[in-house]
Amino acid sequence: MDDKVYNNMWKLENYDENTQSSLPYLTLEILGIQSLGADLAANYTGKAQGIVICLRAKYYRPSQKLNGKGIPLPMQV
């Protein structure tokens, strides 16, 4: 697993959408829900979950350095 540091929030959100949003999208697919609103909710849920994971990493691993780069939080918005 690669510990990355994201330069801006857009890159972090893009990564989160591609990784964390998969399960909510799959859940909608299994339930047969086809709605733009549901897709947006799944997208935002995945992004929020990814951001929370980064924040938890900062809290639980404050003294660790990730490849000498620090905690993987965006430096710019």
Side-chain angles (χ1 to χ4, degrees), residues 46-58:
K47 287 179 182 181
Q49 184 176 0
I51 292 169
V52 167
I53 289 171
C54 280
L55 292 173
R56 278 189 6 195
K58 181 175 175 28

Side-chain angles (χ1 to χ4, degrees), residues 7-27:
N7 296 332
N8 59 42
M9 198 65 175
W10 181 85
K11 288 183 181 181
L12 176 62
E13 286 182 0
N14 188 36
Y15 175 78
D16 292 338
E17 180 181 359
N18 292 329
T19 57
Q20 300 298 323
S21 294
S22 299
L23 188 57
Y25 284 138
L26 180 61
T27 303

Side-chain angles (χ1 to χ4, degrees), residues 30-66:
I30 290 170
L31 295 174
I33 299 173
Q34 296 180 351
S35 163
L36 179 60
D39 286 345
L40 284 174
N43 182 359
Y44 292 137
T45 300
K47 287 179 182 181
Q49 184 176 0
I51 292 169
V52 167
I53 289 171
C54 280
L55 292 173
R56 278 189 6 195
K58 181 175 175 28
Y59 178 75
Y60 287 112
R61 298 167 28 171
S63 62
Q64 284 187 344
K65 295 290 182 184
L66 303 176

